[in-house]
Amino acid sequence: MYYKRHEAFRYAFQEPVEASLEIYQKADQSLVCIDSSTADILDLSPNGLKMVSDLDIDRAEDPLVRIRFLLSEATIEINGHINWKKKMGSKFEYGFSGNDDDQTKQLIVNELKMYTKKQLRRR
């Protein structure tokens, strides 16, 4: 069983980070946005994240998911897929894996470093 042992780290936020969420489906040979909402990111790694949203995403259709958020200075955009889904009251919790390149992964690491430094200064 794979249990995040191959990840360098996963940063859990004390306060969730707000993000925008877009769901895309293939239509012929292009992608069409079929739904959008907001989400709260609970934790983040260079390879994926855990989030909570009001949106009920149908995993059976395996849609492409695009998430955008501002962590420190740069807007991060991650494209990927939902790995798992759990109902949490009136909301849904999701595990998300990104399909992104090394440049996006490095941006996430750099932004997390700046974010944690800012959080330490606030204490």
Side-chain angles (χ1 to χ4, degrees):
M1 179 174 148
Y2 177 79
Y3 184 71
K4 300 178 194 163
R5 290 193 174 122
H6 302 298
E7 288 189 340
F9 66 91
R10 180 167 287 271
Y11 185 86
F13 297 103
Q14 288 183 354
E15 294 181 25
V17 173
E18 189 174 319
S20 66
L21 177 67
E22 295 174 339
I23 311 302
Y24 290 86
Q25 282 290 64
K26 289 184 181 179
D28 296 324
Q29 296 197 10
S30 63
L31 290 173
V32 176
C33 182
I34 58 170
D35 212 344
S36 63
S37 185
T38 60
D40 289 326
I41 299 173
L42 304 177
D43 68 34
L44 176 66
S45 80
N47 298 317
L49 55 86
K50 180 167 57 171
M51 65 181 168
V52 174
S53 178
D54 294 331
L55 193 59
D56 185 4
I57 301 169
D58 184 4
R59 288 190 56 228
E61 295 180 13
D62 193 28
L64 174 70
V65 179
R66 179 173 292 152
I67 299 172
R68 280 191 201 97
F69 57 97
L70 178 66
L71 202 57
S72 184
E73 295 178 357
T75 299
I76 299 173
E77 183 175 297
I78 307 173
N79 297 311
H81 296 274
I82 300 296
N83 291 334
W84 55 265
K85 170 181 168 181
K86 187 176 1 174
K87 181 109 168 102
M88 304 289 288
S90 63
K91 296 186 179 220
F92 297 89
E93 187 175 83
Y94 295 100
F96 172 84
S97 289
N99 299 337
D100 296 302
D101 56 15
D102 290 336
Q103 184 178 359
T104 303
K105 290 177 182 181
Q106 189 59 51
L107 176 62
I108 291 169
V109 170
N110 293 340
E111 288 293 303
L112 277 172
K113 286 178 183 178
M114 286 188 280
Y115 178 85
T116 55
K117 286 179 185 177
K118 285 181 182 178
Q119 295 304 309
L120 288 173
R121 280 188 229 132
R122 289 182 183 174
R123 291 182 187 175

